Amino acid sequence: MPGAGLDALRAAILALFPDLSGARFTLLADGWESQAVDVDDRLIFRFPRFERGAGELAREARLLAVIGPVSPLRVPQTRFHPGPPCFALHRKLPGAVLLPAQYAALPETARHLLAEQLAGLQLALHRLDPGPLRQAGAGPVWDWPEPETILRQAWPRLPPALHRPAERIAAAALPPDPAGSVFGHFDLHGWNLAFDHASGRVQGVFDFAGSGFGPLHRDFVAPSLIAPDLAFRLMAEYEAQGGPKLDRARIAWLTGLHRLMELGEATEAQVARFGLLGNLESWLPHLP
């Protein structure tokens, strides 16, 4: 049901779950790959936006069955319904998203705890046995386009003041990741957290659709969307908990390239809604 409205999604849910007829249905903000419906603040139904999304939701449910028992943070216990219509269902994790302005208001103790919790999750994922993950359908994360392609796509949206910085980002020649490949979330930003603002703790993590095997340093790109401060705290905490030494310059260049890539690939509405030009500008001071 690509792009269906709330009424159509509600009807599809009630056709299979008529006992929810008296529930409150809320269409959550559209994600990049799926639409989500919140039912009574306790159930989440996710419908793929594209045909390829059905397979992704099914794969994610299988992966979560492997990840859940070893994750230090709660993850959804997802059931996949092949349809029609196709959707995934899980109980809502308690908590809310963590936006940049909310992170900025956190006290020092909460910032440290957040980095500690996310580092523990990353280490647990990076140390998972690849065998069961591959049996569940885990594969390589998607390859980014060549830097020259990323720059060309973003160029029409770049103001003249950002031409030189963007060219520097695209020209940063990075060899293959010296740390190799790991299984990771690869999209660990504040919109994928269930954060308890009262206690200052992460209650859970969701959206493992983009998870897979990829370059270790690339798994540290997304957290900076919450705040650069968190990204650097997370790197230090990851190492303190026993993770390998990280190349911060490499992560800085990868983050710049990722923000340039998002700017070029997004729709005009997404550029405005997610502040993608501002995301790129805010990261420039952190480049080597």
Side-chain angles (χ1 to χ4, degrees):
M1 303 176 63
L6 179 59
D7 289 344
L9 296 175
R10 181 178 185 275
I13 293 170
L14 291 179
L16 290 170
F17 301 91
D19 56 308
L20 297 176
S21 60
R24 182 180 68 258
F25 289 71
T26 305
L27 182 62
L28 302 180
D30 284 352
W32 292 89
E33 296 290 339
S34 64
Q35 294 177 291
V37 178
D38 182 313
V39 180
D40 269 354
D41 203 33
R42 63 185 180 88
L43 297 174
I44 299 294
F45 290 81
R46 293 169 58 209
F47 295 82
R49 294 179 58 85
F50 311 102
E51 287 188 12
R52 67 174 184 271
E56 290 300 305
L57 288 178
R59 182 184 72 95
E60 183 183 16
R62 295 193 302 269
L63 288 175
L64 287 169
V66 178
I67 295 167
V70 299
S71 173
L73 297 174
R74 292 176 63 183
V75 300
Q77 296 180 334
T78 301
R79 290 156 45 197
F80 175 71
H81 178 76
C86 157
F87 61 82
L89 164 65
H90 65 82
R91 290 196 173 275
K92 185 176 182 179
L93 298 177
V97 299
L98 179 62
L99 303 180
Q102 294 168 326
Y103 178 84
L106 291 178
E108 173 68 20
T109 53
R111 293 186 185 197
H112 176 77
L113 177 60
L114 176 60
E116 187 178 66
Q117 288 186 288
L118 296 186
L121 173 67
Q122 284 185 305
L123 276 170
L125 295 179
H126 294 175
R127 291 169 173 171
L128 280 171
D129 181 352
L133 291 165
R134 290 197 174 97
Q135 290 178 359
V141 295
W142 64 288
D143 285 331
W144 290 358
E146 291 298 319
E148 295 81 4
T149 302
I150 291 174
L151 180 62
R152 185 172 63 253
Q153 290 177 328
W155 194 261
R157 289 175 171 156
L158 291 171
L162 292 186
H163 286 178
R164 290 285 298 274
E167 289 173 333
R168 282 189 66 223
I169 291 171
L174 297 177
D177 196 319
S181 178
V182 296
F183 179 85
H185 188 286
F186 288 96
D187 203 20
L188 197 59
H189 51 63
W191 290 269
N192 287 335
L193 300 182
F195 187 76
D196 182 352
H197 289 270
S199 67
R201 298 185 65 90
V202 177
Q203 298 297 315
V205 177
F206 51 91
D207 196 357
F208 282 76
S211 65
F213 297 100
L216 183 145
H217 285 83
R218 224 175 91 178
D219 203 18
F220 290 85
V221 167
S224 67
L225 290 170
I226 302 174
D229 174 76
L230 174 61
F232 295 116
R233 287 173 184 264
L234 176 56
M235 295 176 211
E237 186 61 35
Y238 180 85
E239 294 171 339
Q241 292 186 26
K245 178 71 175 174
L246 297 172
D247 183 340
R248 284 158 176 74
R250 184 183 187 90
I251 294 171
W253 287 119
L254 287 171
T255 302
L257 193 60
H258 180 262
R259 296 191 179 195
L260 195 62
M261 178 174 62
E262 282 197 330
L263 180 65
E265 292 185 344
T267 65
E268 290 293 340
Q270 289 169 331
V271 170
R273 178 182 168 195
F274 295 106
L276 299 185
L277 185 58
N279 286 349
L280 174 61
E281 290 181 292
S282 68
W283 187 252
L284 296 181
H286 303 287
L287 294 175

Coordinates of all heavy atoms in Angstrom, one line a residue, residues 8 26 49 74-75 107 109-110 121 131 146 150 157 171 181 202 208 218-219 230 237 253 266:
A8 N -6.9 4.4 4.9 CA -6.6 3.1 4.2 C -5.8 2.2 5.1 O -6.1 1.0 5.1 CB -5.9 3.4 2.9
T26 N -2.7 6.6 14.9 CA -2.0 7.8 14.6 C -0.9 7.5 13.5 O -0.1 6.5 13.7 CB -1.2 8.4 15.8 OG1 -2.2 8.6 16.9 CG2 -0.5 9.7 15.5
R49 N 6.9 1.4 1.9 CA 6.5 2.5 0.9 C 6.8 2.0 -0.5 O 6.2 2.5 -1.4 CB 7.4 3.7 1.2 CG 7.1 4.4 2.5 CD 7.9 5.6 2.7 NE 7.8 6.6 1.6 CZ 6.8 7.5 1.6 NH1 6.0 7.6 2.6 NH2 6.8 8.4 0.6
R74 N 16.8 -2.9 24.7 CA 15.6 -3.5 24.1 C 15.5 -3.2 22.6 O 15.7 -2.1 22.2 CB 14.3 -3.1 24.8 CG 14.2 -3.5 26.3 CD 13.0 -3.0 26.9 NE 11.7 -3.4 26.3 CZ 10.5 -3.0 26.7 NH1 10.4 -2.1 27.7 NH2 9.5 -3.4 26.1
V75 N 15.1 -4.2 21.9 CA 14.8 -4.1 20.4 C 13.4 -4.6 20.2 O 12.9 -5.4 21.0 CB 15.8 -4.8 19.5 CG1 17.2 -4.2 19.8 CG2 15.8 -6.3 19.8
P107 N 21.8 17.1 30.8 CA 22.9 17.4 31.7 C 24.1 16.5 31.3 O 24.0 15.5 30.6 CB 22.4 17.1 33.1 CG 21.3 16.1 32.8 CD 20.7 16.5 31.5
T109 N 25.7 14.2 33.0 CA 25.6 12.8 33.4 C 24.7 12.1 32.4 O 25.1 10.9 32.1 CB 24.9 12.7 34.8 OG1 23.7 13.5 34.8 CG2 25.8 13.2 35.9
A110 N 23.7 12.7 31.9 CA 22.8 12.0 30.9 C 23.6 11.8 29.6 O 23.4 10.8 28.9 CB 21.5 12.8 30.7
L121 N 25.8 -1.1 22.9 CA 25.0 -1.7 21.9 C 25.9 -2.0 20.7 O 25.9 -3.1 20.1 CB 23.8 -0.8 21.5 CG 23.1 -1.3 20.2 CD1 22.3 -2.6 20.5 CD2 22.1 -0.2 19.8
G131 N 27.4 -16.2 11.5 CA 26.7 -17.3 11.0 C 25.2 -17.2 11.1 O 24.5 -17.2 10.1
E146 N 30.3 6.6 -5.8 CA 31.6 7.2 -5.8 C 31.5 8.6 -5.3 O 30.5 9.3 -5.6 CB 32.2 7.1 -7.2 CG 32.5 5.7 -7.6 CD 33.6 5.0 -6.7 OE1 34.5 5.8 -6.3 OE2 33.4 3.9 -6.4
I150 N 28.5 11.6 -5.8 CA 27.8 12.2 -4.7 C 27.9 13.7 -4.8 O 26.9 14.5 -4.7 CB 28.5 11.8 -3.3 CG1 28.1 10.3 -3.1 CG2 28.0 12.7 -2.2 CD1 28.8 9.7 -1.9
R157 N 22.3 22.0 -5.3 CA 21.7 22.5 -4.0 C 22.7 23.2 -3.1 O 22.3 23.7 -2.1 CB 21.1 21.3 -3.2 CG 19.8 20.8 -3.9 CD 19.3 19.6 -3.2 NE 18.0 19.2 -3.7 CZ 17.5 18.0 -3.7 NH1 18.1 17.0 -3.1 NH2 16.3 17.7 -4.2
A171 N 37.1 14.9 -2.4 CA 38.5 14.6 -2.8 C 39.2 13.8 -1.7 O 40.3 13.4 -2.0 CB 39.2 15.9 -3.1
S181 N 35.2 -5.4 8.3 CA 33.7 -5.4 8.3 C 33.1 -6.0 9.5 O 33.7 -6.9 10.1 CB 33.2 -6.2 7.1 OG 31.8 -6.2 7.0
V202 N 18.2 5.5 27.5 CA 17.7 4.9 26.3 C 17.0 3.6 26.8 O 17.5 2.8 27.5 CB 18.8 4.5 25.3 CG1 18.2 3.8 24.1 CG2 19.5 5.7 24.8
F208 N 16.0 -1.7 12.3 CA 17.2 -2.4 11.9 C 17.1 -2.8 10.4 O 17.9 -3.7 10.0 CB 17.4 -3.7 12.8 CG 17.9 -3.4 14.2 CD1 17.1 -2.9 15.2 CD2 19.2 -3.7 14.4 CE1 17.6 -2.6 16.4 CE2 19.8 -3.4 15.7 CZ 18.9 -2.9 16.7
R218 N 32.0 3.2 9.4 CA 30.8 3.8 8.9 C 29.7 3.7 9.9 O 28.7 4.4 9.8 CB 30.4 3.1 7.6 CG 30.0 4.0 6.5 CD 29.7 3.3 5.2 NE 28.3 2.9 5.1 CZ 27.8 2.3 4.0 NH1 28.6 2.0 3.0 NH2 26.5 1.9 4.0
D219 N 29.8 2.8 10.8 CA 28.7 2.6 11.8 C 28.7 3.8 12.9 O 27.9 3.8 13.7 CB 28.9 1.3 12.6 CG 27.6 0.8 13.2 OD1 26.5 1.3 12.8 OD2 27.6 -0.1 14.1
L230 N 27.9 14.1 20.9 CA 27.6 12.6 21.2 C 28.5 11.7 20.4 O 29.0 10.7 20.9 CB 26.2 12.3 20.9 CG 25.8 10.9 21.0 CD1 26.0 10.4 22.5 CD2 24.3 10.7 20.6
E237 N 33.9 6.2 24.3 CA 33.3 5.2 25.2 C 33.5 3.8 24.5 O 33.7 2.8 25.2 CB 31.9 5.5 25.5 CG 31.2 4.6 26.5 CD 31.8 4.6 27.8 OE1 32.3 5.7 28.3 OE2 31.9 3.5 28.5
W253 N 35.5 12.4 7.8 CA 35.4 12.5 6.3 C 34.1 11.7 5.9 O 33.4 12.1 5.0 CB 36.6 12.0 5.6 CG 37.8 12.9 5.7 CD1 39.0 12.6 6.2 CD2 37.9 14.2 5.2 NE1 39.8 13.7 6.1 CE2 39.2 14.7 5.5 CE3 37.0 15.1 4.5 CZ2 39.6 16.0 5.2 CZ3 37.4 16.4 4.2 CH2 38.7 16.8 4.5
A266 N 18.0 13.3 -1.6 CA 16.7 13.6 -1.0 C 15.8 14.4 -1.9 O 16.3 15.0 -2.9 CB 16.9 14.3 0.3

